[in-house]
Tab-separated table of all heavy atoms in Angstrom:
chain	number	residue	atom	x	y	z
R	149	LEU	N	62.866	110.554	135.652
R	149	LEU	CA	62.350	110.932	134.331
R	149	LEU	C	61.292	112.022	134.442
R	149	LEU	O	61.361	113.042	133.754
R	149	LEU	CB	61.771	109.706	133.635
R	149	LEU	CG	61.096	109.969	132.286
R	149	LEU	CD1	62.102	110.476	131.266
R	149	LEU	CD2	60.409	108.702	131.780
R	150	ASP	N	60.290	111.808	135.300
R	150	ASP	CA	59.202	112.774	135.398
R	150	ASP	C	59.706	114.130	135.872
R	150	ASP	O	59.280	115.180	135.369
R	150	ASP	CB	58.120	112.252	136.339
R	150	ASP	CG	57.356	111.075	135.756
R	150	ASP	OD1	57.774	110.556	134.700
R	150	ASP	OD2	56.340	110.664	136.341
R	151	ALA	N	60.619	114.124	136.847
R	151	ALA	CA	61.150	115.393	137.345
R	151	ALA	C	61.918	116.132	136.257
R	151	ALA	O	61.779	117.356	136.096
R	151	ALA	CB	62.052	115.144	138.554
R	152	GLY	N	62.720	115.398	135.475
R	152	GLY	CA	63.480	116.035	134.401
R	152	GLY	C	62.589	116.625	133.332
R	152	GLY	O	62.839	117.733	132.826
R	153	LEU	N	61.539	115.902	132.963
R	153	LEU	CA	60.614	116.407	131.946
R	153	LEU	C	59.847	117.629	132.450
R	153	LEU	O	59.599	118.578	131.696
R	153	LEU	CB	59.642	115.309	131.521
R	153	LEU	CG	60.238	114.162	130.700
R	153	LEU	CD1	59.214	113.048	130.502
R	153	LEU	CD2	60.733	114.661	129.336
R	154	GLN	N	59.466	117.632	133.728
R	154	GLN	CA	58.745	118.785	134.269
R	154	GLN	C	59.640	120.021	134.322
R	154	GLN	O	59.180	121.144	134.080
R	154	GLN	CB	58.168	118.441	135.637
R	154	GLN	CG	56.986	117.484	135.549
R	154	GLN	CD	56.542	116.958	136.895
R	154	GLN	OE1	57.002	117.414	137.938
R	154	GLN	NE2	55.643	115.986	136.881
R	155	GLU	N	60.919	119.821	134.604
R	155	GLU	CA	61.849	120.943	134.555
R	155	GLU	C	61.965	121.493	133.136
R	155	GLU	O	62.013	122.714	132.930
R	155	GLU	CB	63.220	120.505	135.070
R	155	GLU	CG	63.256	120.236	136.563
R	155	GLU	CD	64.561	119.631	137.027
R	155	GLU	OE1	65.501	119.548	136.187
R	155	GLU	OE2	64.662	119.229	138.201
R	156	GLU	N	61.983	120.602	132.143
R	156	GLU	CA	62.026	121.038	130.753
R	156	GLU	C	60.746	121.795	130.392
R	156	GLU	O	60.784	122.795	129.660
R	156	GLU	CB	62.219	119.836	129.833
R	156	GLU	CG	62.215	120.142	128.344
R	156	GLU	CD	63.401	120.972	127.887
R	156	GLU	OE1	64.356	121.165	128.683
R	156	GLU	OE2	63.381	121.428	126.731
R	157	ALA	N	59.600	121.313	130.891
R	157	ALA	CA	58.337	121.999	130.624
R	157	ALA	C	58.373	123.428	131.156
R	157	ALA	O	57.953	124.376	130.465
R	157	ALA	CB	57.182	121.218	131.247
R	158	GLU	N	58.867	123.608	132.369
R	158	GLU	CA	58.974	124.963	132.920
R	158	GLU	C	59.929	125.814	132.102
R	158	GLU	O	59.688	127.015	131.898
R	158	GLU	CB	59.422	124.889	134.373
R	158	GLU	CG	58.352	124.328	135.311
R	158	GLU	CD	58.816	124.162	136.733
R	158	GLU	OE1	60.008	123.854	136.943
R	158	GLU	OE2	57.984	124.328	137.641
R	159	ARG	N	60.996	125.201	131.601
R	159	ARG	CA	61.975	125.952	130.808
R	159	ARG	C	61.366	126.528	129.541
R	159	ARG	O	61.746	127.624	129.098
R	159	ARG	CB	63.165	125.046	130.461
R	159	ARG	CG	64.366	125.785	129.890
R	159	ARG	CD	65.435	124.833	129.420
R	159	ARG	NE	65.024	124.103	128.227
R	159	ARG	CZ	65.045	124.605	126.993
R	159	ARG	NH1	65.445	125.849	126.786
R	159	ARG	NH2	64.663	123.868	125.969
R	160	VAL	N	60.401	125.797	128.928
R	160	VAL	CA	59.802	126.280	127.679
R	160	VAL	C	58.528	127.094	127.929
R	160	VAL	O	57.816	127.432	126.984
R	160	VAL	CB	59.500	125.113	126.711
R	160	VAL	CG1	60.778	124.371	126.354
R	160	VAL	CG2	58.466	124.151	127.286
R	161	GLY	N	58.228	127.400	129.201
R	161	GLY	CA	57.140	128.316	129.484
R	161	GLY	C	55.863	127.720	130.024
R	161	GLY	O	54.870	128.440	130.211
R	162	VAL	N	55.836	126.407	130.307
R	162	VAL	CA	54.640	125.778	130.877
R	162	VAL	C	54.558	126.129	132.362
R	162	VAL	O	55.565	126.075	133.078
R	162	VAL	CB	54.691	124.245	130.704
R	162	VAL	CG1	53.495	123.579	131.396
R	162	VAL	CG2	54.725	123.878	129.231
R	163	ARG	N	53.363	126.495	132.813
R	163	ARG	CA	53.166	126.709	134.245
R	163	ARG	C	52.813	125.372	134.876
R	163	ARG	O	51.776	124.775	134.551
R	163	ARG	CB	52.056	127.713	134.503
R	163	ARG	CG	51.897	127.990	135.997
R	163	ARG	CD	50.759	128.908	136.298
R	163	ARG	NE	50.637	129.100	137.735
R	163	ARG	CZ	49.606	129.678	138.313
R	163	ARG	NH1	48.597	130.129	137.584
R	163	ARG	NH2	49.566	129.802	139.616
R	164	VAL	N	53.660	124.854	135.762
R	164	VAL	CA	53.465	123.558	136.402
R	164	VAL	C	52.927	123.774	137.815
R	164	VAL	O	53.554	124.466	138.621
R	164	VAL	CB	54.779	122.747	136.449
R	164	VAL	CG1	54.548	121.407	137.135
R	164	VAL	CG2	55.325	122.538	135.039
R	165	ILE	N	51.767	123.187	138.105
R	165	ILE	CA	51.156	123.265	139.426
R	165	ILE	C	51.239	121.879	140.052
R	165	ILE	O	50.625	120.932	139.569
R	165	ILE	CB	49.694	123.729	139.347
R	165	ILE	CG1	49.597	125.086	138.637
R	165	ILE	CG2	49.080	123.813	140.737
R	165	ILE	CD1	48.168	125.545	138.406
R	166	GLN	N	52.004	121.743	141.133
R	166	GLN	CA	52.233	120.451	141.789
R	166	GLN	C	51.288	120.265	142.977
R	166	GLN	O	50.762	121.241	143.534
R	166	GLN	CB	53.674	120.356	142.292
R	166	GLN	CG	54.736	120.491	141.225
R	166	GLN	CD	54.946	119.234	140.420
R	166	GLN	OE1	55.498	119.272	139.351
R	166	GLN	NE2	54.532	118.094	140.939
R	167	SER	N	51.113	119.004	143.359
R	167	SER	CA	50.310	118.645	144.536
R	167	SER	C	48.935	119.301	144.485
R	167	SER	O	48.453	119.859	145.472
R	167	SER	CB	51.047	119.042	145.824
R	167	SER	OG	52.306	118.409	145.884
R	168	ALA	N	48.312	119.204	143.324
R	168	ALA	CA	46.995	119.801	143.119
R	168	ALA	C	46.091	118.793	142.430
R	168	ALA	O	46.543	118.017	141.580
R	168	ALA	CB	47.105	121.072	142.286
Side-chain angles (χ1 to χ4, degrees):
L149 175 64
D150 290 9
L153 290 172
Q154 288 171 9
E155 290 172 7
E156 177 67 10
E158 290 176 326
R159 192 187 70 79
V160 300
V162 176
R163 183 184 178 191
V164 179
I165 303 175
Q166 301 281 162
S167 302

